[in-house]
Amino acid sequence: MKTYGISLTKSKFLIVYLDSDTAIPASFIETFSPQATIICFNSAEMAWGWIQVGNRADLVIANVDVSGLSVLEKLRSSKIVPAPPVILITKTITSQLQEKARRLTALDVFSIVSDIDKLTMRVDYLIQKEAYLHSAARWENVDLPELKIPIWKRLLDVTVSLAVLIMLSPILLVAAILVYIDHPGPVLYSSKRVGKNYKVFDMYKFRSMRPNADKLLADMSAHNIYGTVEASPTDNTRCENCIRAGIPCQQPLFLKEKMICEREYVNAKKAKAMFSKFRNDPRVTRIGSFLRNSSIDELPQLFNILRGDMSLVGNRPLPIYEAERLTTSGHVQRFAAPAGLTGLWQVTKRGKSKGVMSDQERIQLDIQYAEKFSFRTDMTIMLRTVTAVFQQENV
């Protein structure tokens, strides 16, 4: 047995790594030693013996070619609580291995030939998630440099948003009346978003769907271009694998102050997204379709700007689930800028020939704006946004 990294410390994320090849563990030491302690074994018996006597492990990475499956099997048949999550690695992934890993509730299976980057990203996420879960800080106390909105920016926000609201008040009034006449119900729709300093607020839009849009999903399989999709499980605090193994959730997330299973949440979102791809979505009202295409449905966000929830220029306000995924030290800086109606990544996207931008590119632009925003930057972005409104690109 070899202990790489720093000395064992309970505050450190602890990884048990089983592999006969020392090259891969060595690269992990270089990558994760600031965040974790890595205990390496070259035999399954030694790894299991170390875990069996009660030593803590936050994650087990086991090579199938070094009897890694036997360690996983013993963990599942033992009464160790809490059982650490297990990631299997191997040179070649087969359907039989995937099925067995699923049955034994392995967290993931990665190829050490082609999936090293994916493995690294997964481990990094688990480390950050563990730190987040064990932190006393939550939405209102995330360790961020407190953002103080400059006076010039707040004055610009209030002046412009108030002026635009006054000028567009007839349009807002007509839109509100049409929304209600088309389908009586609330005129505005609000959704939780995360803005500056990781504060949660209600972001407003004109309602563009029927008031009971979510309930209509169950009766719309005939319109779905993919056919019927099975309903998601009612127990969204644990996935099927964890329920079968009788272990706590291995991929916990927090959504609206409640703990849910990340795997179940993602699967439900995919199913809902697939189910919601309709040729002509009957949930969208006639006036709602027009409001969306003309972007008039976004105008109520001017009230958010007037209240101070958002700014004219800033970073896109994220849903709580998406925001939680960015609570790593490398990404959390994007919340040191206000949420904005428009921003750096939007005008950058418009400048591209096809408007294609990856999530990582967008996050980096968000961080760039948070670090360097100024009056000149904001005015440039606003002018480019106004200019882009008259372009033919669909953004």
Side-chain angles (χ1 to χ4, degrees):
M1 179 190 80
K2 294 183 179 180
T3 303
Y4 295 93
I6 64 172
S7 58
L8 294 180
T9 308
K10 286 190 176 182
S11 62
K12 288 277 186 175
F13 190 88
L14 199 148
I15 301 173
V16 171
Y17 203 115
L18 170 62
D19 199 342
S20 59
D21 183 0
T22 58
I24 295 178
S27 68
F28 261 74
I29 304 310
E30 184 177 355
T31 302
F32 294 112
S33 60
Q35 307 160 278
T37 298
I38 303 175
I39 312 296
C40 294
F41 298 91
N42 54 22
S43 76
E45 291 76 14
M46 294 177 66
W48 172 243
W50 193 86
I51 297 172
Q52 188 180 27
V53 297
N55 288 308
R56 179 179 65 91
D58 296 307
L59 173 66
V60 176
I61 300 176
N63 193 322
V64 174
D65 304 321
V66 193
S67 301
L69 274 172
S70 68
V71 174
L72 178 58
E73 290 171 339
K74 290 175 180 176
L75 270 171
R76 295 298 174 251
S77 62
S78 70
K79 296 183 179 180
I80 296 177
V81 178
V86 177
I87 292 177
L88 296 175
I89 57 176
T90 183
K91 290 182 179 179
T92 304
I93 299 177
T94 64
S95 57
Q96 291 84 357
L97 174 60
Q98 289 178 320
E99 172 59 25
K100 195 163 189 179
R102 185 198 66 78
R103 184 165 47 83
L104 293 171
T105 65
L107 195 59
D108 280 302
V109 181
F110 292 111
S111 166
I112 56 177
V113 176
S114 59
D115 294 336
I116 290 298
D117 289 343
K118 293 179 182 178
L119 174 61
T120 301
M121 289 178 63
R122 185 60 172 157
V123 173
D124 181 70
Y125 174 76
L126 292 171
I127 292 173
Q128 298 296 341
K129 175 58 63 178
E130 186 74 9
Y132 174 72
L133 289 173
H134 286 79
S135 172
R138 290 301 308 278
W139 306 117
E140 68 278 7
N141 295 316
V142 174
D143 186 18
L144 280 174
E146 185 71 17
L147 171 65
K148 301 295 184 183
I149 299 295
I151 295 177
W152 65 262
K153 189 171 182 66
R154 185 60 185 145
L155 285 175
L156 183 65
D157 288 342
V158 172
T159 302
V160 174
S161 61
L162 187 58
V164 174
L165 281 170
I166 292 173
M167 288 190 296
L168 297 182
S169 57
I171 295 177
L172 293 170
L173 180 59
V174 171
I177 293 173
L178 291 176
V179 167
Y180 184 82
I181 291 176
D182 198 15
H183 278 84
V187 171
L188 295 180
Y189 167 80
S190 66
S191 58
K192 297 293 184 183
R193 291 292 189 270
V194 179
K196 66 180 184 296
N197 299 321
Y198 224 78
K199 301 298 183 182
V200 179
F201 66 94
D202 290 315
M203 188 179 75
Y204 300 113
K205 291 185 178 183
F206 278 123
R207 177 172 56 83
S208 59
M209 287 189 173
R210 298 182 184 185
N212 60 341
D214 291 338
K215 295 180 181 179
L216 291 176
L217 284 175
D219 302 320
M220 293 170 59
S221 59
H223 300 278
N224 179 16
I225 65 177
Y226 293 110
T228 303
V229 178
E230 293 183 4
S232 58
T234 56
D235 181 7
N236 61 359
T237 61
R238 291 188 299 169
C239 66
E240 180 184 350
N241 289 347
C242 292
I243 293 174
R244 187 186 298 112
I247 58 177
C249 177
Q250 302 298 300
Q251 295 177 245
L253 288 176
F254 285 90
L255 183 66
K256 296 181 180 179
E257 302 299 327
K258 294 182 180 180
M259 194 277 283
I260 63 173
C261 171
E262 177 196 3
R263 183 173 291 175
E264 284 299 295
Y265 183 82
V266 171
N267 288 341
K269 283 197 71 175
K270 287 180 179 178
K272 184 175 180 180
M274 181 181 292
F275 189 75
S276 299
K277 291 183 182 293
F278 305 101
R279 292 186 178 91
N280 294 293
D281 192 340
R283 296 173 301 163
V284 178
T285 63
R286 291 171 297 175
I287 187 63
S289 178
F290 169 76
L291 294 177
R292 287 184 176 189
N293 292 334
S294 62
S295 296
I296 293 177
D297 66 323
E298 306 281 349
L299 290 180
Q301 290 170 36
L302 291 168
F303 289 106
N304 286 117
I305 295 173
L306 200 59
R307 289 175 43 174
D309 299 326
M310 297 172 59
S311 180
L312 290 167
V313 181
N315 293 333
R316 185 172 72 94
L318 297 179
I320 293 176
Y321 169 73
E322 290 185 27
E324 186 190 351
R325 297 296 298 270
L326 301 182
T327 54
T328 67
S329 58
H331 293 159
V332 76
Q333 183 64 24
R334 58 102 54 208
F335 297 104
L341 193 62
T342 187
L344 183 59
W345 77 265
Q346 287 96 329
V347 296
T348 302
K349 177 180 178 180
R350 290 186 176 104
K352 294 192 172 187
S353 59
K354 295 184 179 180
V356 178
M357 180 177 292
S358 70
D359 289 342
Q360 287 300 317
E361 287 177 309
R362 192 174 67 215
I363 291 169
Q364 291 307 313
L365 286 173
D366 287 346
I367 294 173
Q368 179 182 329
Y369 177 79
E371 293 176 342
K372 300 180 180 179
F373 74 85
S374 63
F375 178 78
R376 182 177 179 179
T377 302
D378 279 20
M379 293 304 298
T380 300
I381 292 173
M382 289 173 64
L383 289 173
R384 290 177 64 183
T385 301
V386 172
T387 303
V389 170
F390 298 98
Q391 296 177 350
Q392 296 299 316
E393 292 183 29
N394 180 18
V395 295

mmCIF file of all heavy atoms in Angstrom, residues 4-6 9 11-13 27-38 124 127-128 329:
data_model
loop_
_atom_site.group_PDB
_atom_site.id
_atom_site.type_symbol
_atom_site.label_atom_id
_atom_site.label_comp_id
_atom_site.label_asym_id
_atom_site.label_seq_id
_atom_site.Cartn_x
_atom_site.Cartn_y
_atom_site.Cartn_z
ATOM 1 N N TYR A 4 -0.314 8.435 -1.411
ATOM 2 C CA TYR A 4 0.210 9.541 -2.178
ATOM 3 C C TYR A 4 -0.471 10.829 -1.723
ATOM 4 O O TYR A 4 -1.500 10.824 -1.076
ATOM 5 C CB TYR A 4 -0.059 9.332 -3.667
ATOM 6 C CG TYR A 4 0.655 8.143 -4.249
ATOM 7 C CD1 TYR A 4 0.041 6.899 -4.322
ATOM 8 C CD2 TYR A 4 1.960 8.268 -4.700
ATOM 9 C CE1 TYR A 4 0.701 5.806 -4.866
ATOM 10 C CE2 TYR A 4 2.629 7.175 -5.257
ATOM 11 C CZ TYR A 4 1.997 5.954 -5.329
ATOM 12 O OH TYR A 4 2.641 4.876 -5.870
ATOM 13 N N GLY A 5 0.101 11.953 -2.138
ATOM 14 C CA GLY A 5 -0.481 13.229 -1.761
ATOM 15 C C GLY A 5 0.008 13.641 -0.402
ATOM 16 O O GLY A 5 1.158 13.421 -0.034
ATOM 17 N N ILE A 6 -0.877 14.196 0.400
ATOM 18 C CA ILE A 6 -0.478 14.657 1.724
ATOM 19 C C ILE A 6 -0.924 13.642 2.766
ATOM 20 O O ILE A 6 -1.561 12.650 2.471
ATOM 21 C CB ILE A 6 -1.091 16.032 2.022
ATOM 22 C CG1 ILE A 6 -2.630 15.916 2.056
ATOM 23 C CG2 ILE A 6 -0.693 17.056 1.004
ATOM 24 C CD1 ILE A 6 -3.302 17.172 2.532
ATOM 25 N N THR A 9 -6.007 13.359 6.328
ATOM 26 C CA THR A 9 -6.690 14.403 7.070
ATOM 27 C C THR A 9 -8.176 14.250 6.828
ATOM 28 O O THR A 9 -8.605 14.089 5.696
ATOM 29 C CB THR A 9 -6.251 15.799 6.587
ATOM 30 O OG1 THR A 9 -4.831 15.861 6.616
ATOM 31 C CG2 THR A 9 -6.839 16.885 7.453
ATOM 32 N N SER A 11 -10.470 16.306 6.843
ATOM 33 C CA SER A 11 -11.079 17.369 6.053
ATOM 34 C C SER A 11 -10.867 17.159 4.564
ATOM 35 O O SER A 11 -11.513 17.795 3.751
ATOM 36 C CB SER A 11 -10.521 18.728 6.467
ATOM 37 O OG SER A 11 -9.129 18.772 6.233
ATOM 38 N N LYS A 12 -9.947 16.280 4.204
ATOM 39 C CA LYS A 12 -9.666 16.015 2.801
ATOM 40 C C LYS A 12 -10.574 14.909 2.264
ATOM 41 O O LYS A 12 -10.895 13.941 2.955
ATOM 42 C CB LYS A 12 -8.207 15.596 2.620
ATOM 43 C CG LYS A 12 -7.202 16.724 2.798
ATOM 44 C CD LYS A 12 -7.078 17.520 1.508
ATOM 45 C CE LYS A 12 -5.975 18.556 1.636
ATOM 46 N NZ LYS A 12 -5.759 19.270 0.366
ATOM 47 N N PHE A 13 -10.960 15.056 1.008
ATOM 48 C CA PHE A 13 -11.693 14.005 0.324
ATOM 49 C C PHE A 13 -10.740 12.824 0.148
ATOM 50 O O PHE A 13 -9.612 13.002 -0.314
ATOM 51 C CB PHE A 13 -12.152 14.530 -1.029
ATOM 52 C CG PHE A 13 -13.112 13.631 -1.753
ATOM 53 C CD1 PHE A 13 -14.477 13.739 -1.544
ATOM 54 C CD2 PHE A 13 -12.660 12.706 -2.677
ATOM 55 C CE1 PHE A 13 -15.373 12.940 -2.239
ATOM 56 C CE2 PHE A 13 -13.540 11.894 -3.373
ATOM 57 C CZ PHE A 13 -14.908 12.004 -3.149
ATOM 58 N N SER A 27 -0.752 10.279 -11.983
ATOM 59 C CA SER A 27 -1.335 11.452 -12.634
ATOM 60 C C SER A 27 -2.481 12.015 -11.815
ATOM 61 O O SER A 27 -2.712 13.226 -11.800
ATOM 62 C CB SER A 27 -1.820 11.080 -14.036
ATOM 63 O OG SER A 27 -2.925 10.195 -13.981
ATOM 64 N N PHE A 28 -3.183 11.132 -11.104
ATOM 65 C CA PHE A 28 -4.258 11.599 -10.233
ATOM 66 C C PHE A 28 -3.705 12.393 -9.056
ATOM 67 O O PHE A 28 -4.316 13.355 -8.608
ATOM 68 C CB PHE A 28 -5.090 10.414 -9.727
ATOM 69 C CG PHE A 28 -6.350 10.209 -10.508
ATOM 70 C CD1 PHE A 28 -6.307 9.671 -11.785
ATOM 71 C CD2 PHE A 28 -7.566 10.583 -9.985
ATOM 72 C CE1 PHE A 28 -7.464 9.492 -12.527
ATOM 73 C CE2 PHE A 28 -8.728 10.412 -10.716
ATOM 74 C CZ PHE A 28 -8.676 9.866 -11.988
ATOM 75 N N ILE A 29 -2.553 11.955 -8.543
ATOM 76 C CA ILE A 29 -1.924 12.676 -7.432
ATOM 77 C C ILE A 29 -1.629 14.106 -7.867
ATOM 78 O O ILE A 29 -1.923 15.065 -7.151
ATOM 79 C CB ILE A 29 -0.620 11.988 -7.002
ATOM 80 C CG1 ILE A 29 -0.875 10.538 -6.634
ATOM 81 C CG2 ILE A 29 0.005 12.724 -5.839
ATOM 82 C CD1 ILE A 29 -1.992 10.328 -5.675
ATOM 83 N N GLU A 30 -1.078 14.221 -9.038
ATOM 84 C CA GLU A 30 -0.709 15.545 -9.547
ATOM 85 C C GLU A 30 -1.940 16.424 -9.724
ATOM 86 O O GLU A 30 -1.902 17.619 -9.443
ATOM 87 C CB GLU A 30 0.024 15.394 -10.879
ATOM 88 C CG GLU A 30 0.527 16.701 -11.449
ATOM 89 C CD GLU A 30 1.310 16.503 -12.741
ATOM 90 O OE1 GLU A 30 1.538 15.340 -13.125
ATOM 91 O OE2 GLU A 30 1.680 17.510 -13.359
ATOM 92 N N THR A 31 -3.048 15.805 -10.155
ATOM 93 C CA THR A 31 -4.260 16.572 -10.419
ATOM 94 C C THR A 31 -5.025 16.921 -9.153
ATOM 95 O O THR A 31 -5.493 18.049 -8.984
ATOM 96 C CB THR A 31 -5.190 15.791 -11.363
ATOM 97 O OG1 THR A 31 -4.496 15.495 -12.578
ATOM 98 C CG2 THR A 31 -6.451 16.580 -11.680
ATOM 99 N N PHE A 32 -5.140 15.944 -8.229
ATOM 100 C CA PHE A 32 -6.063 16.102 -7.114
ATOM 101 C C PHE A 32 -5.428 16.252 -5.731
ATOM 102 O O PHE A 32 -6.152 16.392 -4.749
ATOM 103 C CB PHE A 32 -7.039 14.911 -7.079
ATOM 104 C CG PHE A 32 -7.959 14.857 -8.256
ATOM 105 C CD1 PHE A 32 -7.855 13.842 -9.191
ATOM 106 C CD2 PHE A 32 -8.927 15.825 -8.449
ATOM 107 C CE1 PHE A 32 -8.706 13.786 -10.291
ATOM 108 C CE2 PHE A 32 -9.785 15.786 -9.536
ATOM 109 C CZ PHE A 32 -9.670 14.764 -10.457
ATOM 110 N N SER A 33 -4.117 16.245 -5.636
ATOM 111 C CA SER A 33 -3.509 16.330 -4.306
ATOM 112 C C SER A 33 -3.886 17.588 -3.526
ATOM 113 O O SER A 33 -3.963 17.539 -2.287
ATOM 114 C CB SER A 33 -1.980 16.210 -4.415
ATOM 115 O OG SER A 33 -1.442 17.244 -5.210
ATOM 116 N N PRO A 34 -4.141 18.737 -4.170
ATOM 117 C CA PRO A 34 -4.578 19.885 -3.367
ATOM 118 C C PRO A 34 -5.954 19.692 -2.737
ATOM 119 O O PRO A 34 -6.271 20.326 -1.739
ATOM 120 C CB PRO A 34 -4.605 21.037 -4.390
ATOM 121 C CG PRO A 34 -3.734 20.589 -5.512
ATOM 122 C CD PRO A 34 -3.928 19.110 -5.575
ATOM 123 N N GLN A 35 -6.756 18.814 -3.323
ATOM 124 C CA GLN A 35 -8.128 18.645 -2.852
ATOM 125 C C GLN A 35 -8.368 17.336 -2.121
ATOM 126 O O GLN A 35 -9.327 17.229 -1.359
ATOM 127 C CB GLN A 35 -9.088 18.697 -4.062
ATOM 128 C CG GLN A 35 -8.931 19.916 -4.941
ATOM 129 C CD GLN A 35 -9.532 19.677 -6.309
ATOM 130 O OE1 GLN A 35 -8.916 19.077 -7.181
ATOM 131 N NE2 GLN A 35 -10.757 20.137 -6.500
ATOM 132 N N ALA A 36 -7.541 16.336 -2.371
ATOM 133 C CA ALA A 36 -7.849 14.999 -1.864
ATOM 134 C C ALA A 36 -6.598 14.240 -1.459
ATOM 135 O O ALA A 36 -5.489 14.561 -1.877
ATOM 136 C CB ALA A 36 -8.605 14.202 -2.940
ATOM 137 N N THR A 37 -6.814 13.234 -0.639
ATOM 138 C CA THR A 37 -5.785 12.262 -0.305
ATOM 139 C C THR A 37 -6.099 10.980 -1.052
ATOM 140 O O THR A 37 -7.244 10.528 -1.065
ATOM 141 C CB THR A 37 -5.768 11.984 1.204
ATOM 142 O OG1 THR A 37 -5.457 13.192 1.889
ATOM 143 C CG2 THR A 37 -4.725 10.936 1.555
ATOM 144 N N ILE A 38 -5.095 10.400 -1.680
ATOM 145 C CA ILE A 38 -5.309 9.201 -2.488
ATOM 146 C C ILE A 38 -4.501 8.049 -1.910
ATOM 147 O O ILE A 38 -3.286 8.133 -1.773
ATOM 148 C CB ILE A 38 -4.905 9.447 -3.955
ATOM 149 C CG1 ILE A 38 -5.681 10.639 -4.511
ATOM 150 C CG2 ILE A 38 -5.156 8.207 -4.806
ATOM 151 C CD1 ILE A 38 -5.282 11.052 -5.901
ATOM 152 N N ASP A 124 -13.565 15.231 -10.044
ATOM 153 C CA ASP A 124 -13.547 16.628 -9.620
ATOM 154 C C ASP A 124 -14.929 17.056 -9.151
ATOM 155 O O ASP A 124 -15.079 17.742 -8.133
ATOM 156 C CB ASP A 124 -13.073 17.515 -10.767
ATOM 157 C CG ASP A 124 -13.015 18.977 -10.378
ATOM 158 O OD1 ASP A 124 -12.138 19.332 -9.566
ATOM 159 O OD2 ASP A 124 -13.838 19.770 -10.871
ATOM 160 N N ILE A 127 -15.693 15.561 -5.692
ATOM 161 C CA ILE A 127 -14.956 16.253 -4.637
ATOM 162 C C ILE A 127 -15.636 17.572 -4.291
ATOM 163 O O ILE A 127 -15.857 17.897 -3.119
ATOM 164 C CB ILE A 127 -13.491 16.494 -5.065
ATOM 165 C CG1 ILE A 127 -12.740 15.159 -5.158
ATOM 166 C CG2 ILE A 127 -12.781 17.425 -4.089
ATOM 167 C CD1 ILE A 127 -11.335 15.291 -5.728
ATOM 168 N N GLN A 128 -15.984 18.324 -5.328
ATOM 169 C CA GLN A 128 -16.631 19.608 -5.094
ATOM 170 C C GLN A 128 -18.013 19.423 -4.476
ATOM 171 O O GLN A 128 -18.427 20.204 -3.617
ATOM 172 C CB GLN A 128 -16.740 20.387 -6.407
ATOM 173 C CG GLN A 128 -15.409 20.730 -7.064
ATOM 174 C CD GLN A 128 -14.578 21.668 -6.220
ATOM 175 O OE1 GLN A 128 -15.101 22.334 -5.333
ATOM 176 N NE2 GLN A 128 -13.285 21.728 -6.490
ATOM 177 N N SER A 329 -14.722 26.005 -7.271
ATOM 178 C CA SER A 329 -13.881 27.182 -7.120
ATOM 179 C C SER A 329 -13.583 27.839 -8.453
ATOM 180 O O SER A 329 -13.332 29.036 -8.534
ATOM 181 C CB SER A 329 -12.566 26.796 -6.432
ATOM 182 O OG SER A 329 -11.894 25.790 -7.178
#
